[in-house]
Amino acid sequence: MAGHAEAHGPHRSSLGFNLAALAVLMALLGLGAAYLLDAAGRGARTQLHRLDAETTLTRTLGGVDLEIPRSWFRYDEQRIEGFAKQVELRLELPLGRAGSTEAIDVTLVPRSRARPSAALLDGVYLHQFLPEQLDGPPGLVGKPLAPTEGYEHETVWYDALSAEPFVAKCASAMTRGAAGQCLRTVYLGPGIAAIYAFPEAVLAHWREFDPLLRDRLKQIGAL
């Protein structure tokens, strides 16, 4: 009897070991499958996000149908289709230092609701200029405005040599370390004007500013 029991001892031990090894293998396979499913899910979500960002929406402004990528809209609530009184976008353009990107806020409105900055230069700003002239980006003249009619701490920068000058009105930063902010308004295609809001440092690249913006806005049918 003792010999019979000893003969089955190793067999039972081997069987237990095999069962334990099989259980570990199944657990590892299950864990691997879970990782694969998670990775697949994350990949699918990323792909959906990319597709979503590339989807265009049609907004009708000033009688013009604009085909705008969803990722260009500044606010989620504007990511709908249909007629619009104005369209608010945010574009990342290489207008920062050493070619870094800067966010340019673009508000598209009907032409009847805006006056171009170049027209305001002679019609409004010129009559508010103070005597001094400021140093700034090469090619631009900086004239501070009189602190009346809401122009306190504001400066107009313009290209004095052009028949259709680049003009931007900039407000000084109100807090230490903050950046001054500028506004520039232009007419685009028939029926549409654009109001650009951007950091004052972007003025260093004023010559590239309009061509880059026009190229982007041409893609959506704004001109």
Side-chain angles (χ1 to χ4, degrees):
M1 292 294 291
H4 182 73
E6 289 174 348
H8 285 77
H11 174 71
R12 290 174 180 172
S13 176
S14 176
L15 180 61
F17 176 82
N18 289 339
L19 289 174
L22 182 60
V24 171
L25 178 61
M26 293 299 291
L28 290 174
L29 289 174
L31 184 62
Y35 276 118
L36 287 174
L37 287 173
D38 180 65
R42 283 187 279 109
R45 288 193 295 273
T46 300
Q47 183 65 18
L48 285 173
H49 176 73
R50 288 174 180 167
L51 289 173
D52 184 64
E54 293 169 359
T55 300
T56 60
L57 299 174
T58 303
R59 301 304 309 268
T60 302
L61 177 72
V64 179
D65 289 338
L66 305 174
E67 299 293 333
I68 306 172
R70 287 177 60 92
S71 60
W72 287 25
F73 287 95
R74 202 183 319 166
Y75 304 115
D76 290 341
E77 58 267 26
Q78 287 221 339
R79 290 172 176 157
I80 57 176
E81 295 197 316
F83 290 93
K85 293 182 179 179
Q86 66 183 43
V87 176
E88 297 176 270
L89 311 175
R90 175 163 293 163
L91 303 179
E92 299 285 341
L93 296 174
L95 293 169
R97 294 180 180 177
S100 61
T101 59
E102 284 283 1
I104 311 297
D105 287 342
V106 180
T107 302
L108 302 179
V109 298
R111 278 197 179 200
S112 59
R113 291 179 50 195
R115 289 184 65 186
S117 297
L120 292 173
L121 177 64
D122 291 331
V124 178
Y125 300 148
L126 182 64
H127 306 292
Q128 301 292 331
F129 284 167
L130 292 176
E132 61 263 36
Q133 181 170 312
L134 304 180
D135 292 329
L140 291 183
V141 173
K143 296 291 289 185
L145 297 174
T148 58
E149 301 185 25
Y151 292 130
E152 189 173 5
H153 304 300
E154 293 191 333
T155 300
V156 170
W157 295 92
Y158 64 99
D159 171 18
L161 302 179
S162 175
E164 296 183 5
F166 176 96
V167 181
K169 179 166 68 72
C170 301
S172 301
M174 294 293 101
T175 58
R176 184 184 299 273
Q181 295 294 312
C182 301
L183 291 175
R184 170 166 168 74
T185 301
V186 300
Y187 282 161
L188 300 176
I192 297 180
I195 303 169
Y196 304 134
F198 53 94
E200 191 171 12
V202 168
L203 288 176
H205 302 279
W206 66 272
R207 288 186 175 87
E208 299 96 72
F209 186 91
D210 281 343
L212 280 174
L213 267 300
R214 289 180 66 86
D215 181 65
R216 289 294 182 90
L217 295 174
K218 186 177 181 180
Q219 295 175 32
I220 66 174
L223 50 76

